[in-house]
Amino acid sequence: MRVRDVMTAPAIVASPENTIGEIAAQMLRNRVTALPVIERGKLVGIVTENDLVVRGVNADELRGHATLRGAFVELVRGRPRWLEVGIRAMDIMTRNVTTATPDEDVFVVAERMISLDRKHMPVVEAERLVGIVSRIDLLRGLIALHREVA
Amino acid sequence: MKPAVPLHTIDATSSLQDAAETLAFYGIGALPVEEGGVLVGIVSERDLVRAIAELANFAGTPVSDYMTPGPISIDVGDSLAAAAKIMVEFQVRHVPIVERGRVVDLVSIRDVLSSSAASASSTG
């Protein structure tokens, strides 16, 4: 079974300029848990739920404002400032993206995903984003395969 | 059925802030939510993303407001395959393992995928 058999295509994508509020809404609307970030047609990063939850709340720290707990102090007062200051995909995305190709074997990609601790891999063919594969996509494929073998 | 790792849980009255910090600190994706020691829900990164989208007040909002209540769980005697089936069918990445109403462990999709890939490799 190949990646192309289980991947989600086309992938829902974000731009580096999207705010984390926009990204969160986009993820919920499309029921996806990661968005490849595309700039001028090129894959430049990926933003996952984990990036939003962990780095999103840490972004103030990156800007020299506060620790994680300090960033949350703003929340006590009402609206989360780290949303208002316009933290964007480019601030929290993972730039070192691990990708898969459509013709790779799902077992190989599953092992790579686990060993590199990735939850998603954009699927790239001829330097073009053609889809995205998540752990749940791979698991679905592996279960189907076990069923065929059994 | 899976490697023994410490189970981290959170109380239903804890804040979203506590949940986010705990997930970040331990590098995990979800926490079983307990009330009086009994499993009442699960709070995952996905739930916190929903809170972000709704501009929730993280420090002043209890986990119970955003958790997924009454999560589908498996019994301590069930197999990893049972957890895998639940994950695919219900699009969830974590399944609590329960023994007499109390959560004793949490199976993640990482556990299941590691096991599936390993067994597939070993059988060729």
Side-chain angles (χ1 to χ4, degrees), chain B residues 9 42 53 55 65 67 83 119:
Chain B
T9 62
I42 189 164
L55 302 183
D65 282 8
M67 70 181 187
S119 68

Side-chain angles (χ1 to χ4, degrees), chain B residues 98-117:
Chain B
V98 170
E99 186 174 28
R100 289 192 287 277
R102 288 181 180 267
V103 58
V104 293
D105 209 344
L106 187 70
V107 187
S108 74
I109 193 166
R110 181 194 171 88
D111 302 322
V112 174
L113 199 55
S114 304
S115 166
S116 299

Side-chain angles (χ1 to χ4, degrees), chain A residues 3-4 13 16 23-24 27 40 45 53 57 62 65-67 69 72 79 83 113 126 132:
Chain A
V3 167
R4 70 168 74 252
V13 301
I23 292 166
M27 283 181 181
R40 288 190 286 275
V53 172
V57 297
L62 297 177
H65 290 155
T67 60
R69 184 171 286 277
F72 273 116
R79 288 168 62 87
L83 288 181
M113 209 177 254
I132 186 166

Side-chain angles (χ1 to χ4, degrees), chain A residues 14-95:
Chain A
S15 102
E17 300 295 330
N18 282 139
T19 65
I20 67 173
E22 290 169 345
I23 292 166
Q26 178 87 313
M27 283 181 181
L28 293 171
R29 195 163 49 242
N30 294 289
R31 297 182 180 190
V32 297
T33 54
L35 300 176
V37 182
I38 301 290
E39 187 173 31
R40 288 190 286 275
K42 195 171 172 237
L43 178 68
V44 293
I46 184 168
V47 181
T48 68
E49 286 180 339
N50 184 262
D51 296 327
L52 286 185
V53 172
V54 177
R55 294 188 195 158
V57 297
N58 267 318
D60 267 4
E61 185 181 17
L62 297 177
R63 289 158 185 253
H65 290 155
T67 60
L68 173 60
R69 184 171 286 277
F72 273 116
V73 168
E74 299 294 333
L75 305 187
V76 181
R77 299 173 188 156
R79 288 168 62 87
R81 189 170 64 101
W82 41 271
L83 288 181
E84 292 178 344
V85 296
I87 293 162
R88 298 179 186 278
M90 66 178 87
D91 299 320
I92 58 165
M93 67 185 184
T94 298
R95 291 170 190 273

Side-chain angles (χ1 to χ4, degrees), chain B residues 55-123:
Chain B
L55 302 183
N57 177 334
F58 268 57
T61 305
V63 161
S64 54
D65 282 8
Y66 278 91
M67 70 181 187
T68 301
I72 300 161
S73 60
I74 60 173
D75 190 77
V76 73
D78 289 336
S79 66
L80 265 186
K85 193 161 172 278
I86 289 170
M87 287 174 184
V88 168
E89 192 172 338
F90 295 95
Q91 293 281 308
V92 294
R93 289 174 294 180
H94 303 86
V95 178
I97 304 177
V98 170
E99 186 174 28
R100 289 192 287 277
R102 288 181 180 267
V103 58
V104 293
D105 209 344
L106 187 70
V107 187
S108 74
I109 193 166
R110 181 194 171 88
D111 302 322
V112 174
L113 199 55
S114 304
S115 166
S116 299
S119 68
S121 300
S122 64
T123 55

Side-chain angles (χ1 to χ4, degrees), chain A residues 4-6 43 73 75 90 93 115-116 120 131 137 145 148:
Chain A
R4 70 168 74 252
D5 300 323
V6 299
L43 178 68
V73 168
L75 305 187
M90 66 178 87
M93 67 185 184
S115 67
L116 298 176
H120 314 81
D137 295 329
L145 210 57
E148 281 173 23

